Amino acid sequence: MSPAAEVFIQATDTDPDVRARAVVEETHRQLLEQLVALTEPHQELTTAFTDQLHRLLTATEQTLYAAASGAAETRLLVRALRVTAEIIGRHTDSLTAVTDSTERAGAARTLAGMLTVHLGVERTVLLPALAALPGADVSALVGDFSTVLAGGRLEDPEIVDVREIPHGQRHPRIFTRFARLAGGESFVLVNNHDPKPLRREFEATHPGRFTWEYLESGPEQWQIRITRVDDDA
């Protein structure tokens, strides 16, 4: 073991994954507390709260969902969570248009109920599944999650070279990078074989939302430009 390596006992407070999950749990707790306060009549809905909720949804999409979206074990779970996240986002936006305080409090209670269930599934199902997923570094993902939540921007390389990464750990890295693309943006994947299984996973998780262009096709190296199709295309 390297002298600089971190020593910890798995599944205890010294475990980086446990500490990372605690960060997510505390973030969820604080947000829900703010939302519960809005369920009382005459409470004002602030743009700061709605912005924070949207940042939470964005941060989760770009990190936790992205890493889990390409794995067979978690693909359907992420698909369902994305549907509910979209509904929560729309409900949050509609809440800002309600002017009657009593009606707004009722809408806030509905949102609180939806969000409580949604975040509970993330904590009790998604995070443990990610921790068991080969190649998914929960601690690093939650670090990125915190960065986006705070309004920061993640470093997104234009070239993702996975040749030195063990095979079982490549796909979470690639799907996480794709999730951070805006419509029309792309990155170049460099691999030591033709990643046909990866392309099938993209077709299953992002049908019609990407293009796949071979820039180099072996025999020693493959380069593929992966582009996110613009939503308006």
Side-chain angles (χ1 to χ4, degrees):
M1 178 184 298
S2 166
E6 182 178 5
V7 177
F8 63 88
I9 302 174
Q10 194 170 23
T12 70
D13 289 342
T14 63
D15 187 333
D17 284 355
V18 172
R19 294 202 298 264
R21 289 172 62 178
V23 169
V24 175
E25 290 171 1
E26 177 62 16
T27 300
H28 290 177
R29 184 191 66 78
Q30 292 180 5
L31 189 70
L32 285 170
E33 279 188 356
Q34 295 179 54
L35 182 54
V36 168
L38 293 173
T39 64
E40 297 296 327
H42 309 298
Q43 290 292 320
E44 292 295 327
L45 177 67
T46 64
T47 56
F49 170 78
T50 56
D51 288 348
Q52 183 181 9
L53 180 49
H54 278 295
R55 281 201 304 273
L56 172 69
L57 297 175
T58 298
T60 308
E61 166 60 36
Q62 292 186 356
T63 58
L64 308 182
Y65 292 178
S69 64
E73 302 94 322
T74 48
R75 183 180 301 153
L76 293 179
L77 171 63
V78 170
R79 188 176 299 173
L81 285 169
R82 280 173 168 159
V83 170
T84 55
E86 183 178 354
I87 294 171
I88 287 169
R90 290 202 303 266
H91 195 80
T92 302
D93 292 336
S94 66
L95 191 61
T96 61
V98 179
T99 57
D100 180 80
S101 61
T102 302
E103 184 180 348
R104 184 170 59 242
R109 284 193 292 273
T110 299
L111 178 59
M114 290 191 297
L115 195 61
T116 298
V117 173
H118 179 76
L119 298 182
V121 173
E122 288 182 356
R123 293 193 303 273
T124 62
V125 183
L126 177 63
L127 283 171
L130 267 174
L133 195 65
D137 185 337
V138 174
S139 182
L141 287 169
V142 171
D144 288 345
F145 166 87
S146 298
T147 296
V148 177
L149 190 64
R153 182 175 177 82
L154 302 175
E155 293 185 6
D156 295 324
E158 295 182 2
I159 298 176
V160 178
D161 189 338
V162 298
R163 289 175 294 178
E164 300 301 320
I165 301 174
H167 282 276
Q169 300 179 14
R170 296 178 180 182
H171 289 195
R173 180 83 57 90
I174 296 165
F175 277 98
T176 299
R177 178 67 185 93
F178 180 79
R180 295 173 187 162
L181 295 176
E185 291 184 343
S186 64
F187 68 94
V188 174
L189 170 64
V190 181
N191 209 339
N192 52 14
H193 67 276
D194 188 353
K196 292 179 180 179
L198 175 69
R199 184 171 187 174
R200 288 194 291 270
E201 289 187 357
F202 263 94
E203 290 169 347
T205 56
H206 301 287
R209 307 314 305 157
F210 74 99
T211 61
W212 184 278
E213 177 189 3
Y214 283 97
L215 304 179
E216 182 178 358
S217 300
E220 302 297 328
Q221 175 177 283
W222 276 256
Q223 293 192 60
I224 301 100
R225 184 184 307 280
I226 301 175
T227 303
R228 179 183 284 275
V229 174
D230 195 299
D231 291 338
D232 296 329

